Amino acid sequence: MARPERIRLGDLLIQEALLTPAQLDEALVDQKKTGRKLGRIFIDRQWVTEVQIAKAVARQLRAPFIDLTSRNLRPEVAGLLPETHARRLRALPIENTAGAPLRVAMADPTDLNAYDEVARLTRREIDLAVVAESHLLAALDRVYRGGDAMAGLARELTADIANVEDEIGDLLGLGAVTTEDAPVVRLLSTMFEQALRSRASDIHIEPQERHLRVRFRIDGMLHVQTEADPKIAGAVALRLKLMSGLDISEKRLPQDGRFHVKLKHGSVDVRISTLPTQHGESVVMRLLNQSAGLLKLDNLGLPADVAAAVDRCLQRPNGMFVVTGPTGSGKTTTLYAALNALNDTERKIITVEDPIEYRLPGLNQVQVLDKIDLSFQRVLRAALRQDPDVILIGEMRDQTTAEIGLRAALTGHLVLSTLHTNDALSTPLRLIDMGVPRYMVALSLHLVLAQRLVRTVCADCAEPCAPDDHHLGWLREALGEAFDTTLAGRPLRRGRGCPSCNHTGYSGRTGVYEFIEMTQELVEAMNDGDPIRFTQAGRRQMAGRTLRRDALRLALEGRTTLDEALRVGSQLADD
């Protein structure tokens, strides 16, 4: 289409019967007082919606209106306009067909200066499409994911460091150069904002010989975000140490700390760990999004039998509930969801953690600190004198901690804790191996829940798929005689890959579970001292409801892929 002409938005909306003359007059008065755009005033007063305005403008300009929420955007097309300019100009290239003008989506196509600058930057003839501004901003977050912005700020920081001859400490907080606009501050701010938008659980800042690599862990997998000049590694690590109160002069030893960041899209608690490596200090930050709120048990996606078992255990006045699995399997989330269900004014709840991951009002949370001999054992003994009803032990790491917890469960307390074991059945045996008396495990332990996390198929790009020979072989082994009847008509799916899922085909994670309850049969088998008898009794109770079978169930329902189910199944022993 030709270069658009300016239009009077108020007159257009009156012509479209979306606005009355009285409303326009009222909005013009508001505009003179506040200086806000007319369109924003109309929307804030709920006279019209963004989409209604965009469609009206599109009709006036004889341009198409496009709904970006359901459109599969291609990063290579969007990349024709650099991210910083796309955000500033509120414009996004969406179609690039050979021999045709470049299709560009704009929130305000009547902004002639923006139109001319897009044409200049892309060096292409422009064909405009009209979109709602909020849809455009969300699309920009999906398709760019902040990599360009981080790379640009990293280059700016590199230039600053090259021009400063003083010690790096003077640049980052110990001298007059420090301002909130310093490149290192803006680099970290952009990094945290993008990590929050991407649902990242961790940020890895890794100095290499020729570059500094920044990676995000999203849905359990690491993704490279940007690679920068290694000269800035010291500046970034130093600023993070200052923020977390670590010793900035110590670069030879690992350090751990914590700080809080307030961002546009929410607030985040950050756990930081530094590790001296060959090329500098590696920094890993675990992000705990406090804005998202704690999950409730009902929202964890627990299968019906697992939810019923957990509910039975939490209704008891005493006993121990153990959640087990490897690091990053969601154990803490499950336990805090359980604490959330128990948290009321009639219960005294004490948590002993290292570190405290979530802050929950109403709880008495204690941070273990070995430097001052504030150990798990010492805090637990003191906590039992505080008349608690419920105790959370962050992790049973040794015999003493496990014994204190199990003894507390025997003496009228409900105890929740975690343990690193491979499955539910091995957990009681692991406690005995740690040196805990057999009778104490049999009488105190009530429920063991083992869990893993699997990635779920992206809803925006999911498509049917057929299992290959490798998958079929695994399915035949897992399903046995039920292979043909179970697989028939199942909606196996995978993600094709789109900007919404960073072209991985996955978006989000869900849990797979197995559990055992210490029934009379299991207690007798435990007291008998025969681990084979105990294992056999446990398998009869589980009746095939194992982690591997639960992962397979999700794949057969089309919620995850066979690759994910196979990844979980390959880590476990045969059912």
Side-chain angles (χ1 to χ4, degrees):
M1 62 174 286
R3 187 172 185 266
E5 298 180 357
R6 293 191 182 276
I7 58 175
R8 296 172 62 89
L9 181 60
D11 294 340
L12 173 61
L13 295 180
I14 291 175
Q15 178 183 327
E16 294 272 340
L18 295 173
L19 204 68
T20 66
Q23 288 173 326
L24 175 59
D25 292 340
E26 187 178 337
L28 288 170
V29 172
D30 190 342
Q31 185 187 39
K32 288 181 180 179
K33 292 180 180 178
T34 63
R36 293 190 300 162
K37 290 185 175 181
L38 271 180
R40 179 49 52 189
I41 295 172
F42 299 150
I43 294 168
D44 290 346
R45 290 174 178 256
Q46 298 183 348
W47 293 337
V48 292
T49 66
E50 270 189 309
V51 172
Q52 286 176 320
I53 291 178
K55 287 183 176 179
V57 171
R59 284 191 293 270
Q60 178 71 15
L61 296 177
R62 294 182 176 84
F65 168 81
I66 292 179
D67 182 2
L68 287 180
T69 59
S70 58
R71 194 177 185 89
N72 189 11
L73 302 171
R74 294 163 53 198
E76 63 271 18
V77 176
L80 295 172
L81 185 64
E83 178 185 0
T84 51
H85 295 296
R87 293 186 182 277
R88 177 172 58 86
L89 300 172
R90 295 291 194 264
L92 178 65
I94 57 175
E95 291 179 15
N96 183 26
T97 305
L102 178 67
R103 172 66 61 85
V104 176
M106 294 188 68
D108 182 8
T110 64
D111 185 342
L112 303 184
N113 292 330
Y115 176 91
D116 291 340
E117 191 164 356
V118 170
R120 180 182 63 80
L121 290 168
T122 59
R123 298 180 181 179
R124 295 283 298 276
E125 182 183 349
I126 301 300
D127 186 13
L128 279 183
V130 185
V131 295
E133 184 174 20
S134 61
H135 295 177
L136 177 68
L137 294 176
L140 291 172
D141 291 340
R142 291 201 313 269
V143 75
Y144 287 114
R145 295 189 174 268
D148 289 352
M150 275 192 282
L153 288 166
R155 286 193 296 271
E156 188 177 340
L157 177 57
T158 303
D160 268 20
I161 292 174
N163 292 331
V164 174
E165 297 180 355
D166 298 331
E167 290 293 324
I168 194 67
D170 294 333
L171 177 66
L172 292 176
L174 306 179
V177 188
T178 300
T179 69
E180 284 305 307
D181 289 327
V184 67
V185 177
R186 286 186 282 127
L187 171 63
L188 291 174
S189 177
T190 301
M191 188 183 299
F192 286 124
E193 285 280 4
Q194 188 53 40
L196 194 59
R197 284 197 296 261
S198 303
R199 299 174 294 101
S201 60
D202 302 83
I203 299 175
H204 293 240
I205 302 174
E206 303 162 321
Q208 308 292 312
E209 182 179 4
R210 300 183 185 280
H211 59 264
L212 176 69
R213 183 171 63 184
V214 178
R215 296 192 288 176
F216 291 172
R217 188 176 294 279
I218 302 171
D219 295 336
M221 300 295 175
L222 284 170
H223 301 271
V224 175
Q225 295 299 303
T226 190
E227 292 183 345
D229 193 308
K231 294 177 184 177
I232 72 171
V236 173
L238 182 54
R239 182 71 196 193
L240 289 169
K241 283 183 175 182
L242 287 169
M243 294 169 67
S244 50
L246 300 181
D247 184 355
I248 61 174
S249 64
E250 181 57 76
K251 299 180 181 180
R252 301 165 300 169
L253 296 174
Q255 296 189 67
D256 297 307
R258 186 170 189 151
F259 59 92
H260 186 77
V261 178
K262 288 186 177 180
L263 304 166
K264 295 177 183 177
H265 293 85
S267 59
V268 181
D269 272 344
V270 182
R271 279 168 40 195
I272 179 174
S273 170
T274 69
L275 180 70
T277 67
Q278 182 181 6
H279 302 294
E281 288 185 283
S282 171
V283 179
V284 175
M285 293 177 283
R286 169 64 57 89
L287 308 181
L288 303 168
N289 187 357
Q290 303 299 320
S291 306
L294 285 173
L295 282 175
K296 296 183 179 179
L297 282 172
D298 294 342
N299 298 330
L300 287 181
L302 300 174
D305 57 336
V306 177
V310 171
D311 186 61
R312 284 194 297 271
C313 184
L314 297 182
Q315 295 300 322
R316 302 178 65 102
N318 66 303
M320 178 174 279
F321 171 31
V322 175
V323 181
T324 183
T327 300
S329 60
K331 300 186 299 295
T332 302
T333 300
T334 299
L335 284 182
Y336 264 90
L339 285 182
N340 212 8
L342 293 168
N343 190 17
D344 58 37
T345 57
E346 298 177 356
R347 290 187 179 94
K348 170 97 169 184
I349 301 177
I350 298 178
T351 74
V352 187
E353 304 170 75
D354 183 22
I356 296 172
E357 294 204 21
Y358 298 99
R359 293 179 172 88
L360 189 60
L363 270 58
N364 301 277
Q365 298 175 270
V366 183
Q367 166 76 57
V368 169
L369 193 58
D370 289 327
K371 291 180 181 178
I372 58 172
D373 196 27
L374 191 65
S375 62
F376 271 104
Q377 300 96 312
R378 188 170 188 175
V379 176
L380 275 173
R381 291 190 178 99
L384 290 173
R385 296 192 289 270
Q386 290 279 310
D387 188 29
D389 298 293
V390 181
I391 300 173
L392 169 71
I393 305 172
E395 182 184 346
M396 291 187 290
R397 298 179 178 177
D398 51 57
Q399 176 187 349
T400 305
T401 303
E403 278 194 25
I404 296 172
L406 287 163
R407 199 179 306 279
L410 270 177
T411 56
H413 306 88
L414 181 61
V415 181
L416 285 64
S417 189
T418 69
L419 196 65
H420 288 282
T421 58
N422 205 37
D423 54 32
L425 270 177
S426 62
T427 300
L429 302 176
R430 169 68 181 135
L431 288 169
I432 294 172
D433 288 342
M434 289 170 66
V436 178
R438 189 180 305 279
Y439 79 89
M440 193 177 290
V441 177
L443 294 178
S444 300
L445 189 61
H446 286 306
L447 177 67
V448 179
L449 178 67
Q451 66 181 68
R452 298 285 192 280
L453 293 176
V454 295
R455 293 180 291 173
T456 52
V457 176
C458 175
D460 291 337
C461 62
E463 61 183 14
C465 69
D468 58 24
D469 292 341
H470 179 56
H471 293 142
L472 287 172
W474 179 68
L475 288 170
R476 284 194 179 93
E477 178 189 352
L479 296 172
E481 295 179 356
F483 171 77
D484 291 325
T485 55
T486 303
L487 197 59
R490 289 291 185 172
L492 299 177
R493 300 197 306 166
R494 67 181 176 189
R496 183 176 59 256
C498 66
S500 296
C501 61
N502 201 20
H503 298 276
T504 63
Y506 298 98
S507 179
R509 291 189 288 178
T510 190
V512 293
Y513 306 92
E514 69 178 25
F515 71 94
I516 58 167
E517 291 182 281
M518 292 297 288
T519 60
Q520 186 64 33
E521 181 184 11
L522 286 182
V523 170
E524 292 174 358
M526 175 66 67
N527 286 326
D528 187 47
D530 184 357
I532 296 178
R533 180 188 169 193
F534 177 82
T535 302
Q536 290 173 342
R539 289 191 183 281
R540 284 195 298 272
Q541 183 192 116
M542 294 167 73
R545 298 190 301 271
T546 62
L547 287 167
R548 189 159 76 157
R549 287 299 181 95
D550 201 30
L552 179 56
R553 173 185 63 84
L554 293 177
L556 293 174
E557 291 175 357
R559 295 172 59 190
T560 190
T561 63
L562 285 173
D563 283 330
E564 279 292 283
L566 183 58
R567 181 176 64 84
V568 171
S570 63
Q571 301 170 5
L572 305 166
D574 293 338
D575 296 344

